[in-house]
Amino acid sequence: MKRYKFILLVFTLLVVSNLHSQEQMFQLPNGKTTDKIHFQLINNLIIIPVVVNGMPLSFILDSGVTKPILFDNLNGLEVLNLENKETIFLKGLGEGLVVEAVKSTQNKLEIGHAVKYQQTIYAIYNGSMDYTPKLGIPIHGIIGYDVFKDFVVEINYRSKYIKLSKSENQKEKICKKCEKIPLEFHNFKPYMLAQVTIEGKQIPVKMLLDTGASDALWLFEDGSQDIVSTDNYFDDFLGYGLSGSLFGKRSKVQALTINSFVLNESLVAFPTGKSIETLKKIKDRNGTIGAEILNRFHVTFNYQESYMILKKNANFNKAFSYNKSGIDIEHRGVRLIKEYYYLLTNGRLTFAENNSVIHVSDEKNIKESYRLNAAPAFEIVKLRPNSPAQLIGLQLGDIILEVNGTDVKKYSLQEVMHLFKGKDGKKMSVLIERQGKQFLYKFQLVDLLNQKQP
């Protein structure tokens, strides 16, 4: 008979399951005390190369998870050690039900030169956790605590690398412009104390530090502590949890204060619904500081000594921005596009741009033809109600072909999304394909949070 477990997640991807089982630590080769790993930064998320049982994969580095999770929608089970496995069920953030997963032990994990054997990994059967269409590149899983607990982890968001150092070899150096901040740990996750300013009131808050949350701040509304949204907000889709979609209010706080660092007019989300009730019960937790805040610093985590070090980087004073169109898109496969060319009588192949011939000397002896090439299909998957895009007539399932006259094949997914974060009133034109026909829509971006707080 199969063995089944039911596990309650207390954060988006937290797995609470025998974390005290004996596992080896990550080890560096003899004589090596540090290692530098370059990463991709997409939508504020750190994507690092990870090798699982000899298979090169890409994982999100997420301080909000305790065990590595592999997404089975990319045939993750093919790379896991299935000799020692069991089926479990997980429940997390979102509106859905529990999801089925496989717990696999004794896997080999490599990150740069660091190697760990007998690693426990969870493979989940949940399409909503497929980050590949959401980020536009293959994402195979998420890893967090296992890296942070074994190393001092330095994150350089500007140069896009992490540096792993063994704690016994780490010489504490606090630069003049750096600040050392104490950390607390609950369920193996890092928390810190900060302050938020809402309607002139400075409110102390206890916040989870989550490198895997792309937003700036999440706050849990609590009238007894004056942690409440102002009237300057709008309802929005916030993202995906393990158990489905997450919704809430988007707004701003006057300031977020971390020691002497003050970030003004920070974006904030107030998640709503039953899916977050469990989070509110975690040791006086008031919310989350995400990567839109963290990427404004050079960050060093030292879990062993329970502190982190922050130093401002060039992102610190960058204005906070958000999607003002109401469009949420994903990379959903490819679309075929025609590339026209002209074949001359002498057999020379000449391509055309915008249907005009290039370098053709004998126009009487040319034959027009074309070839089909694949380009990313950026599909509209969500539309905020009453947003500029929804009001003008854009629909779910529309494939975006051009934005402001430029073919989106020249952009990454995140570059297209960035275009929708422009200034209030910016004019946009979007060419889409719907059921084999093309339509052009024009609208203006609307900043719903442009009212200054008192």
Side-chain angles (χ1 to χ4, degrees):
M1 179 179 293
K2 290 184 178 180
R3 295 177 57 210
Y4 293 95
K5 277 186 181 178
F6 177 84
I7 298 177
L8 178 66
L9 297 184
V10 295
F11 192 62
T12 308
L13 292 172
L14 167 65
V15 180
V16 183
S17 172
N18 193 21
L19 292 174
H20 301 288
S21 61
Q22 295 299 312
E23 283 187 350
Q24 294 182 349
M25 297 177 64
F26 272 106
Q27 299 293 333
L28 290 171
N30 289 335
K32 193 172 181 65
T33 58
T34 65
D35 197 16
K36 181 185 289 187
I37 297 106
H38 289 275
F39 61 76
Q40 296 184 69
L41 188 66
I42 301 178
N43 197 25
N44 297 325
L45 301 179
I46 297 169
I47 316 299
I48 60 172
V50 176
V51 180
V52 179
N53 297 327
M55 179 70 72
L57 303 173
S58 295
F59 276 49
I60 296 171
L61 183 64
D62 186 346
S63 58
V65 299
T66 57
K67 284 294 177 182
I69 294 178
L70 199 64
F71 307 138
D72 189 49
N73 46 11
L74 295 174
N75 298 318
L77 291 180
E78 295 180 4
V79 304
L80 292 182
N81 176 6
L82 298 180
E83 293 182 3
N84 297 287
K85 69 169 186 176
E86 60 181 312
T87 299
I88 60 176
F89 292 91
L90 308 177
K91 180 69 173 74
L93 288 180
E95 299 178 331
L97 302 175
V98 296
V99 297
E100 185 178 354
V102 167
K103 176 184 175 183
S104 169
T105 60
Q106 299 182 21
N107 295 280
K108 180 182 178 182
L109 218 61
E110 301 170 75
I111 301 175
H113 292 95
V115 181
K116 183 178 181 181
Y117 300 90
Q118 298 180 2
Q119 174 69 62
T120 297
I121 299 177
Y122 295 83
I124 63 173
Y125 304 90
N126 186 345
S128 70
M129 293 309 299
D130 183 3
Y131 281 83
T132 296
K134 300 173 180 61
L135 298 182
I137 66 169
I139 302 295
H140 306 99
I142 298 182
I143 191 169
Y145 178 73
D146 290 86
V147 178
F148 288 100
K149 74 178 178 63
D150 289 346
F151 295 104
V152 175
V153 180
E154 179 183 338
I155 303 174
N156 190 319
Y157 278 100
R158 294 288 294 176
S159 298
K160 297 182 177 62
Y161 70 80
I162 61 171
K163 183 179 179 182
L164 307 179
S165 304
K166 299 302 291 186
S167 60
E168 60 267 24
N169 299 308
Q170 180 78 4
K171 294 182 180 180
E172 184 177 313
K173 296 179 181 180
I174 307 298
C175 68
K176 292 182 179 179
K177 296 183 179 180
C178 299
E179 298 199 16
K180 183 177 178 180
I181 299 169
L183 298 179
E184 298 180 25
F185 290 88
H186 304 287
N187 296 321
F188 306 95
K189 297 185 177 194
Y191 290 77
M192 61 164 288
L193 300 178
Q195 282 188 335
V196 292
T197 304
I198 301 175
E199 295 190 316
K201 298 178 182 178
Q202 290 188 335
I203 305 165
V205 287
K206 184 174 183 177
M207 307 291 280
L208 172 72
L209 291 161
D210 191 354
T211 62
S214 59
D215 279 344
L217 290 177
W218 277 20
L219 288 174
F220 307 143
E221 289 196 281
D222 185 345
S224 67
Q225 299 184 61
D226 295 322
I227 302 175
V228 293
S229 171
T230 66
D231 293 336
N232 188 25
Y233 76 89
F234 63 93
D235 295 314
D236 198 14
F237 166 71
L238 302 183
Y240 297 94
L242 184 62
S243 295
S245 299
L246 300 166
F247 298 90
K249 304 174 183 177
R250 288 204 187 274
S251 185
K252 287 184 179 182
V253 294
Q254 286 175 277
L256 168 69
T257 303
I258 302 173
N259 279 23
S260 68
F261 299 119
V262 180
L263 294 122
N264 295 309
E265 296 292 313
S266 172
L267 290 172
V268 64
F270 294 90
T272 58
K274 295 181 180 180
S275 62
I276 64 160
E277 289 303 317
T278 303
L279 301 184
K280 296 181 179 180
K281 300 176 183 177
I282 300 176
K283 200 72 175 179
D284 303 321
R285 174 183 171 185
N286 300 116
T288 298
I289 292 177
E292 176 65 17
I293 295 293
L294 294 174
N295 73 15
R296 296 161 188 266
F297 297 93
H298 190 104
V299 186
T300 301
F301 286 101
N302 189 327
Y303 277 29
Q304 296 90 338
E305 301 296 329
S306 299
Y307 68 81
M308 74 173 179
I309 296 173
L310 294 181
K311 179 183 179 181
K312 287 193 289 189
N313 65 22
N315 295 333
F316 187 82
N317 292 316
K318 183 177 65 176
F320 291 90
S321 62
Y322 68 96
N323 184 345
K324 301 177 183 68
S325 70
I327 296 173
D328 190 21
I329 61 175
E330 291 184 1
H331 184 173
R332 295 286 183 91
V334 298
R335 57 187 173 93
L336 296 178
I337 59 174
K338 290 181 179 180
E339 282 194 351
Y340 286 92
Y341 62 87
Y342 295 85
L343 185 63
L344 303 184
T345 53
N346 63 7
R348 184 162 61 94
L349 191 65
T350 306
F351 286 91
E353 294 179 354
N354 300 323
N355 296 323
S356 61
V357 181
I358 303 174
H359 304 309
V360 174
S361 59
D362 185 2
E363 296 186 11
K364 295 180 181 180
N365 298 301
I366 62 176
K367 181 181 179 180
E368 183 182 79
S369 188
Y370 66 86
R371 67 181 180 186
L372 294 176
N373 277 342
F378 296 148
E379 179 180 335
I380 298 178
V381 295
K382 288 190 181 295
L383 282 167
R384 190 173 68 241
N386 299 315
S387 64
Q390 193 261 349
L391 291 174
I392 201 66
L394 286 164
Q395 299 178 14
L396 299 181
D398 288 347
I399 303 297
I400 295 180
L401 306 179
E402 295 180 1
V403 176
N404 292 342
T406 300
D407 194 320
V408 294
K409 71 180 182 181
K410 298 181 180 180
Y411 296 122
S412 69
L413 177 70
Q414 299 308 311
E415 287 171 334
V416 175
M417 291 300 297
H418 183 74
L419 296 174
F420 299 135
K421 295 183 177 182
K423 294 182 178 179
D424 184 39
K426 181 178 179 180
K427 295 180 180 180
M428 306 294 296
S429 65
V430 178
L431 179 68
I432 61 96
E433 181 179 290
R434 180 188 303 153
Q435 298 179 352
K437 297 180 180 180
Q438 295 185 5
F439 302 90
L440 181 65
Y441 290 90
K442 295 183 178 182
F443 58 90
Q444 290 179 285
L445 300 180
V446 176
D447 186 356
L448 298 175
L449 302 177
N450 59 2
Q451 304 174 26
K452 291 290 184 181
Q453 298 184 39

